[in-house]
């Protein structure tokens, strides 16, 4: 089993070097695969990535223990992917971010899924901003993803995402868009 883990880490490290050489600006680190000790693996990967790569890391996990393991070892201010407006997500992720710091990606969705309208997504973003304030996380450390959906599934989805992003930006928020 350890040989498989070592092989996986070696693969991750080789990909990091390849992506850095190709001009990447940041590395997304996600080690969540079935039947893995995600906190241990995240700790090992973050530690080893920082020893061979100069790029900043985006810690990508919904596992609060894995997030904490990564943040305890991270040198600098990471991007953390992600939290959403559901109470469960907020209660799991925000205390860890409040303790260790970082820039948090907030997804415009809640326990009911992704709202169809910009108004619904703005409401989700505001829930994230309000929760961050309660946890002492600065608004400047929140980056909202308006969530781009495929146009083939909903022709108005691109306009909804763009409208959401524009409205968040115009109110002083920061935005990101994963595509």
């Amino acid at each position: 089993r350890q040989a498989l883990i070592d092989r996986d880490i070696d693969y991750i490290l080789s990909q990091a070097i390849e992506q850095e050489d190709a001009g990447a600006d940041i590395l997304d680190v996600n080690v969540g695969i079935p039947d893995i000790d995600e906190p241990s693996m995240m700790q090992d990967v973050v530690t080893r990535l920082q020893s061979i790569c100069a790029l900043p890391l985006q810690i990508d996990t919904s596992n609060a223990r894995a997030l904490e393991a990564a943040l305890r070892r991270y040198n600098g201010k990471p991007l953390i992917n992600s939290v959403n407006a559901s109470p469960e997500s907020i209660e799991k992720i925000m205390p860890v971010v409040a303790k260790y710091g970082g820039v948090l990606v907030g997804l415009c969705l809640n326990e009911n899924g992704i709202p169809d309208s910009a108004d619904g997504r703005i409401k989700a973003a505001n829930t994230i901003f309000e929760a961050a304030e309660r946890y002492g996380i600065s608004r400047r450390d929140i980056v909202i993803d308006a969530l781009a959906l495929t146009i083939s599934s909903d022709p108005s989805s691109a306009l909804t995402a763009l409208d959401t992003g524009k409205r968040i930006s115009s109110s002083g928020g920061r935005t990101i868009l994963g595509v």
Side-chain angles (χ1 to χ4, degrees):
R1 180 154 171 87
Q2 187 60 44
L4 290 174
I5 291 172
D6 290 340
R7 185 199 68 202
D8 291 344
I9 291 176
D10 288 344
Y11 175 75
I12 292 168
L13 297 176
S14 72
Q15 287 298 298
I17 292 167
E18 192 175 307
Q19 290 185 30
E20 184 174 37
D21 289 347
D25 294 315
I26 190 168
L27 294 177
D28 185 83
V29 182
N30 184 324
V31 299
I33 57 175
D35 300 325
I36 193 168
D37 179 353
E38 189 176 349
S40 176
M41 183 69 145
M42 184 65 86
Q43 170 185 309
D44 291 346
V45 168
V46 166
T47 300
R48 292 186 59 191
L49 278 171
Q50 291 181 108
S51 72
I52 65 155
C53 182
L55 291 175
L57 303 180
Q58 174 173 264
I59 309 302
D60 187 352
T61 181
S62 59
N63 180 315
R65 287 182 44 239
L67 177 60
E68 184 161 12
L71 296 182
R72 288 187 68 194
R73 282 151 189 86
Y74 189 73
N75 299 316
K77 189 172 185 173
L79 185 59
I80 300 160
N81 189 11
S82 60
V83 69
N84 65 59
S86 74
E88 178 185 2
S89 178
I90 288 168
E91 291 166 13
K92 278 186 355 185
I93 301 302
M94 286 203 183
V96 180
V97 175
K99 182 176 181 179
Y100 293 98
V103 175
L104 184 57
V105 176
L107 306 178
C108 288
L109 64 95
N110 57 33
E111 63 277 6
N112 298 317
I114 301 171
D116 293 332
S117 68
D119 286 342
R121 293 181 193 193
I122 295 294
K123 182 177 179 186
N126 286 335
T127 298
I128 292 167
F129 285 135
E130 291 163 8
E133 186 175 327
R134 287 193 308 273
Y135 281 97
I137 301 167
S138 171
R139 186 179 174 104
R140 76 175 185 278
D141 286 333
I142 304 293
V143 181
I144 299 294
D145 186 336
L147 300 174
L149 302 175
T150 60
I151 294 175
S152 62
S153 66
D154 178 3
S156 68
S157 64
L159 294 175
T160 300
L162 292 172
D163 184 33
T164 302
K166 181 179 179 182
R167 289 170 58 186
I168 290 167
S169 292
S170 69
S171 69
R174 298 168 189 249
T175 62
I176 190 171
L177 193 57
V179 292

